[in-house]
Amino acid sequence: MQNRLGVFLVNLKPAKMRGILSEAMIMCSEEPGKIEIIDPPAGCVPGDRVVCEEYPGEPDQQLNPKRKVWERVQPDLRTNSECVATYKGAPFTVVGKGVCKVPTMANAHIK
C-alpha cells in the first residue's frame, strides 16, 4: 500500500487497533479469498472528496457508533459490472476527475 492513493472513510470515531490509533478505514471490494483497494481516478490528490452525486449533502463530522450508520450503509456498497464503486448504484465520483474503481472485481461487495 505504500506510494499509492486509496479511497478512505475518514469520519470514523478514532479507535486503537493493535496499539495504534486508527482514524480512517480504507475502502476495498471483497470476494471470498480476494480483496482489492478502491482506486481514485487519475489526477486525484490526498484530500480530494469522494461523493455520490445522486445523494447530495454534507457528511457528519464524526460518525456516532451508537447510531450504527456504517452498518446501515455498507450493505448498499458494491462495485458494478464495470468495476466502479457504487452506493445504491450511484458511482463514487471525484468531481471533475472521474469515478473510483477497482482493477478487476465486478459486482463485488465493498467493505
Side-chain angles (χ1 to χ4, degrees), residues 60-74:
D60 294 341
Q61 185 69 26
Q62 185 177 83
L63 294 181
N64 181 342
K66 292 180 182 178
R67 291 182 49 214
K68 306 255 184 236
V69 174
W70 171 248
E71 291 80 358
R72 290 193 323 257
V73 169
Q74 192 276 323

Side-chain angles (χ1 to χ4, degrees), residues 3 5-6 8 11-12 20 25 90 92:
N3 301 319
L5 297 177
F8 289 81
N11 60 346
L12 300 173
I20 298 172
M25 177 172 53
F92 287 22

Side-chain angles (χ1 to χ4, degrees), residues 46-58:
D48 279 350
R49 185 170 170 196
V50 175
V51 299
C52 290
E53 294 181 299
E54 288 85 350
Y55 296 92
E58 292 298 314

Side-chain angles (χ1 to χ4, degrees), residues 4-7 26-31 34-41 77-86 92 99-111:
R4 69 175 290 176
L5 297 177
V7 175
I26 191 159
M27 306 295 289
C28 299
S29 61
E30 179 183 57
E31 291 177 347
K34 187 174 182 183
I35 294 174
E36 290 183 348
I37 294 171
I38 298 173
D39 294 316
L77 297 171
R78 298 190 59 80
T79 59
N80 65 16
S81 62
E82 298 172 344
C83 300
V84 174
T86 69
F92 287 22
V99 296
C100 302
K101 299 177 79 172
V102 294
T104 65
M105 293 175 65
N107 303 309
H109 294 282
I110 294 174
K111 295 190 175 189

